[in-house]
């Protein structure tokens, strides 16, 4: 018996419309995905205010066990979120829930939300001084009978220097809304499309090549490539090549989604 899976499927549906065979299949898929997914991820049941599933790796758990998280529920965040970011994380959750409520008729257009904040890690050699770790959070909402029921959250390390960065991305992968924590308003923005050369630069950089090697591969002068990289950073509003690669991958700018004919 797997208590984690039992907990998930106990609350996953209000009525028993899923057969035992279907449940077993879902269990297998959940196991498989947990083993092949690179990122850490977990599922929240909004109505029950509990974790439904947590991938068994330490990035999100920060040294705690899955049982610890299931026992604490939402209170688990107070154990793993860096103290200075706890109020920020609360503001992020509230902003997302308000958005989903206020724009209920447009929920089908939403792809996912994203944000950055810090987790804390305690080491035995430094017990009185937890170290912070910036993470990038992606949050996908799931409805049940027209009501918000689950949030599927993926977590990975981030090179960002700034916390917050709360955005809502549309399914068109071209537009998004950025949240202002001071005015508590969302501002519509557009993601700039990449040129073929910018895509090539990111692909080569993703292979670990530096600007000199990239300029050689693309048969362009070193200064030309450096200027194009600088322009690319400005277009994507990032400050490093790693950030640019991560941003472009997550927003399908390098390998965009093909339109159906």
């Amino acid at each position: 018996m797997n208590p984690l899976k039992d907990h998930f499927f106990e609350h996953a549906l209000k009525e028993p419309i899923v057969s035992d065979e279907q449940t077993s299949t879902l269990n297998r898929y959940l196991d498989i995905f947990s083993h092949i997914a690179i990122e850490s991820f977990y599922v929240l049941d909004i109505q029950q205010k509990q974790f439904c599933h947590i991938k068994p790796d330490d990035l999100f758990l920060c040294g705690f066990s899955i049982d610890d998280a299931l026992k604490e529920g939402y209170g688990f965040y107070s154990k793993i979120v860096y103290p200075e970011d706890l109020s920020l994380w609360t503001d992020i959750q509230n902003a997302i829930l308000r958005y989903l409520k206020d724009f209920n008729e447009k929920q089908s257009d939403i792809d996912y939300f994203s944000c950055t904040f810090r987790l804390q890690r305690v080491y035995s050699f430094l017990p009185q001084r937890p170290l912070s770790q910036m993470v990038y959070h992606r949050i996908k909402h799931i409805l049940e009978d027209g009501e918000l029921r689950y949030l599927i959250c993926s977590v990975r390390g981030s090179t960002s220097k700034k916390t917050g960065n709360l955005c809502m991305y549309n399914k068109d992968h071209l537009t998004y809304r950025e949240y202002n924590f001071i005015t508590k308003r969302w501002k519509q923005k557009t993601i700039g499309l990449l040129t073929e050369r910018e895509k090539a630069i990111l692909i080569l950089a993703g292979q670990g090549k530096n600007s000199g090697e990239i300029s050689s591969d693309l048969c362009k002068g070193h200064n030309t490539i450096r200027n194009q990289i600088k322009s690319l950073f400005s277009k994507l509003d990032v400050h490093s090549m790693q950030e640019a690669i991560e941003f472009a991958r997550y927003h399908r700018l390098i390998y965009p989604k093909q339109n159906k004919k």
Side-chain angles (χ1 to χ4, degrees):
M1 178 180 293
N2 188 322
L4 182 60
K5 294 174 185 175
D6 291 344
H7 183 88
F8 177 82
F9 289 107
E10 176 185 354
H11 299 296
L13 297 167
K14 295 179 180 178
E15 299 179 7
I17 60 175
V18 178
S19 68
D20 291 340
E21 182 179 353
Q22 289 173 312
T23 297
S24 178
T25 300
L26 288 173
N27 280 342
R28 291 199 300 271
Y29 287 159
L30 208 55
D31 275 341
I32 292 171
F33 189 67
S34 291
H35 282 88
I36 65 174
I38 297 176
E39 295 184 352
S40 179
F41 72 92
Y42 62 92
V43 182
L44 280 175
D45 185 323
I46 296 301
Q47 294 182 11
Q48 300 294 329
K49 295 186 177 181
Q50 292 287 337
F51 294 97
C52 301
H53 177 79
I54 302 174
K55 179 185 174 182
D57 67 46
D58 195 48
L59 175 58
F60 174 70
L61 291 170
C62 294
F64 293 93
S65 69
I66 291 178
D67 287 340
D68 291 332
L70 293 177
K71 181 180 179 180
E72 293 286 340
Y74 275 19
F76 184 64
Y77 288 109
S78 65
K79 294 181 177 295
I80 63 172
V81 176
Y82 199 66
E84 294 178 9
D85 290 357
L86 266 175
S87 60
L88 171 66
W89 173 238
T90 299
D91 290 344
I92 289 171
Q93 288 181 308
N94 290 336
I96 291 174
L97 295 178
R98 283 198 304 270
Y99 188 96
L100 291 172
K101 180 180 179 181
D102 294 343
F103 295 89
N104 182 63
E105 74 283 359
K106 297 183 179 180
Q107 287 190 12
S108 60
D109 295 331
I110 300 173
D111 193 3
Y112 64 89
F113 297 86
S114 70
C115 62
T116 55
F117 60 93
R118 292 171 293 179
L119 298 178
Q120 63 173 348
R121 310 192 71 83
V122 179
Y123 294 94
S124 59
F125 60 85
L126 204 62
Q128 303 302 322
R129 186 184 174 187
L131 299 181
S132 65
Q133 179 179 12
M134 186 73 75
V135 293
Y136 176 80
H137 231 62
R138 285 203 302 171
I139 303 167
K140 179 75 174 181
H141 67 291
I142 302 295
L143 304 179
E144 184 180 88
D145 298 329
E147 298 291 332
L148 177 64
R149 183 61 190 270
Y150 303 107
L151 292 179
I152 302 176
C153 308
S154 68
V155 188
R156 64 171 171 81
S158 173
T159 57
S160 175
K161 304 299 182 183
K162 179 184 174 183
T163 58
N165 298 310
L166 176 57
C167 295
M168 183 286 297
Y169 291 93
N170 290 312
K171 289 182 178 178
D172 61 12
H173 301 291
L174 299 174
T175 58
Y176 68 101
R177 290 178 180 267
E178 185 177 67
Y179 184 71
N180 187 309
F181 288 92
I182 298 176
T183 63
K184 299 187 183 302
R185 294 180 179 275
W186 297 83
K187 183 178 180 180
Q188 182 81 16
K189 292 194 171 185
T190 302
I191 300 175
L193 296 178
L194 301 182
T195 66
E196 291 301 306
R197 184 171 296 166
E198 287 171 337
K199 293 178 185 178
I201 288 173
L202 288 171
I203 291 172
L204 293 171
Q207 298 172 9
K209 296 187 176 183
N210 58 37
S211 58
E213 292 170 321
I214 292 173
S215 64
S216 176
D217 285 356
L218 298 183
C219 301
K220 292 293 179 180
H222 192 192
N223 288 335
T224 298
I225 294 300
R226 290 180 64 181
N227 288 334
Q228 289 181 329
I229 291 174
K230 184 178 179 180
S231 175
L232 177 62
F233 287 1
S234 178
K235 178 184 288 189
L236 300 182
D237 192 22
V238 298
H239 303 91
S240 70
M241 183 57 75
Q242 185 60 37
E243 280 189 87
I245 293 170
E246 292 172 357
F247 187 93
R249 283 175 176 170
Y250 272 94
H251 300 99
R252 303 179 187 176
L253 299 180
I254 302 177
Y255 306 110
K257 182 178 180 180
Q258 296 296 320
N259 293 324
K260 295 182 179 179
K261 295 181 180 181

